[in-house]
Amino acid sequence: MFEIGSVSIENRLLAAPMAGFTDKAFRIILKNHGAGLVATEMISAQALVYGQEKTMFMLDLSGEEPPVAVQLFGSEPRIIAQAARIAADRGAHIIDINMGCPTPKIVKNGEGAALMRDPNRAVRIVEAVVKAVSVPVTVKMRSGWDENSINCCQIAVLAEAAGAQVVTVHPRTREQLFSGKADWSLIRAVKQVVKIPVIGNGDVTSPQKARQMLEETGCDAVMIGRGCLGNPFIFRRTRQYLETGEIPPEPTAEERINVARQHLVLACRFKGETKAVLEMRKHLGWYIKGLPHATAVRARMNQARTLSEIEAILESLSRIINQGDGSCGLFSK
């Protein structure tokens, strides 16, 4: 068990909030495959306060197995606090404050990773959110803005003093974006200066990497982001490895195709067929990566417009793999 304030989490393996990926359908898939905690895509505090329809839809947590964290981004303490109250009223079990998003359209407004350059504003945001809600408040941060301003330890200490109950450290700078190697030594450095739990994030792509992060950094839990794209199985496999020391086999091609199909059906249920089929293309590409004819299959799926078309393509792929025969030409062009 792992605890974030009053919230008990089944294990120490958490799914990272990822814009464009961790919608309701994917959260359910991740939970079903062993993630102890899932989180929404980052949600604009201002849009939530304004009641923007698309944003309110992103906040829909109905029917999901708890706990679910809601991640908010913004730069105004009053607005984020108000948004946090809305999220908590709508079922958020944890409010996470985004201090890590590196994208230009976010940081240009002083939001996301830009808060690493403004510790005073960052701490006022945490204080405001902690006062506004009764659920635990957490902070997800980068190591700093650039290599000359590594200040994750400072921000973590300030966040703890302001009432944050957990900090998550993705030890890349904003300027690194998602390139280069995550510096896990900074997770360990943060762990040494705060008393609250520290979650490590970055470059965990296998059960072995998760165990390595826990051992090298002393972090209390591991958050997996890009490593679970097309691979929700990583949570179940990692949990078994941590508990038994045995590494479970990789999922079979059939398992990957079946879960891709389940994910697609869920997405169609929640978003409607037309929108879901378009948005699922990126997920489907991850699920079939490395399988026979993956490039040709992906090209076919990118032309599909309906659930039935995608299901037919996946069924054909499954049949070819099971028969061990690619000579039928379905994906050879």
Side-chain angles (χ1 to χ4, degrees):
M1 294 289 286
F2 174 62
E3 293 186 350
I4 297 179
S6 59
V7 177
S8 294
I9 298 169
E10 188 176 359
N11 60 64
R12 296 191 292 166
L13 303 173
L14 289 57
M18 291 182 285
F21 284 99
T22 49
D23 59 9
K24 190 181 190 71
F26 195 35
R27 293 196 300 270
I28 291 173
I29 291 290
L30 293 171
K31 247 324 175 43
N32 287 345
H33 285 82
L37 177 69
V38 295
T40 64
E41 304 172 74
M42 64 177 190
I43 293 176
S44 165
Q46 184 166 309
L48 193 57
V49 169
Y50 288 164
Q52 186 184 75
E53 183 178 357
K54 179 181 177 181
T55 305
M56 299 304 291
F57 178 79
M58 291 172 67
L59 187 59
D60 175 26
L61 309 179
S62 59
E64 295 187 51
E65 179 186 342
V68 181
V70 170
Q71 189 185 70
L72 300 174
F73 73 92
S75 61
E76 293 299 326
R78 179 181 60 84
I79 296 296
I80 298 187
Q82 190 174 345
R85 282 193 293 269
I86 294 170
D89 288 344
R90 290 179 174 253
H93 303 95
I94 295 165
I95 301 295
D96 185 60
I97 300 171
N98 183 312
M99 296 188 189
C101 179
T103 60
K105 68 179 181 180
I106 299 297
V107 299
K108 74 177 183 180
N109 295 321
E111 303 166 337
L115 291 172
M116 302 297 291
R117 295 194 295 183
D118 193 347
N120 290 333
R121 182 179 293 273
V123 74
R124 286 191 287 114
I125 287 172
V126 177
E127 288 174 340
V129 175
V130 168
K131 290 177 182 178
V133 297
S134 59
V135 300
V137 175
T138 62
V139 173
K140 187 171 189 291
M141 68 180 74
R142 289 253 167 171
S143 56
W145 181 259
D146 57 31
E147 63 180 6
N148 297 315
S149 56
I150 303 297
N151 63 343
C152 50
C153 288
Q154 177 196 10
I155 298 292
V157 169
L158 290 172
E160 179 180 37
Q165 299 201 24
V166 165
V167 291
T168 299
V169 183
H170 178 178
R172 284 184 171 88
T173 65
R174 183 270 164 180
E175 292 207 344
Q176 279 183 278
L177 299 178
F178 295 98
S179 65
K181 185 178 180 181
D183 184 356
W184 289 359
S185 70
L186 293 171
I187 301 173
R188 184 172 186 82
V190 170
K191 179 64 182 170
Q192 291 172 342
V193 297
V194 297
K195 294 183 176 65
I196 57 176
V198 174
I199 299 168
N201 174 224
D203 294 350
V204 176
T205 54
S206 68
Q208 298 95 316
K209 284 286 189 180
R211 181 173 179 174
Q212 182 183 350
M213 176 181 277
L214 288 165
E215 292 176 347
E216 286 187 8
T217 70
C219 65
D220 299 276
V222 171
M223 181 173 282
I224 301 175
R226 289 174 294 167
C228 73
L229 297 178
N231 185 27
F233 319 96
I234 192 172
F235 291 99
R236 169 181 50 80
R237 296 180 66 243
T238 301
R239 182 175 180 179
Q240 185 173 335
Y241 177 52
L242 293 177
E243 291 176 351
T244 68
E246 298 179 357
I247 301 175
E250 294 278 358
T252 65
E254 192 67 21
E255 286 176 312
R256 291 166 62 179
I257 292 170
N258 285 340
V259 173
R261 186 183 292 115
Q262 293 167 14
H263 191 166
L264 175 63
V265 170
L266 281 173
C268 289
R269 180 191 306 170
F270 299 133
K271 294 187 175 181
E273 184 172 350
T274 300
K275 183 176 183 180
V277 167
L278 290 174
E279 291 188 358
M280 277 295 296
R281 287 173 176 173
K282 57 183 181 288
H283 281 288
L284 294 168
W286 283 105
Y287 279 114
I288 67 169
K289 185 177 180 180
L291 295 184
H293 311 288
T295 300
V297 173
R298 187 163 53 248
R300 285 274 300 274
M301 290 194 297
N302 286 343
Q303 298 299 316
R305 292 290 185 271
T306 67
L307 171 61
S308 60
E309 286 180 276
I310 297 288
E311 288 187 319
I313 294 168
L314 292 174
E315 178 60 32
S316 296
L317 176 61
S318 179
R319 187 167 64 250
I320 289 172
I321 291 173
N322 287 334
Q323 293 173 349
D325 178 15
S327 63
C328 62
L330 283 173
F331 304 118
S332 59
K333 296 182 180 179

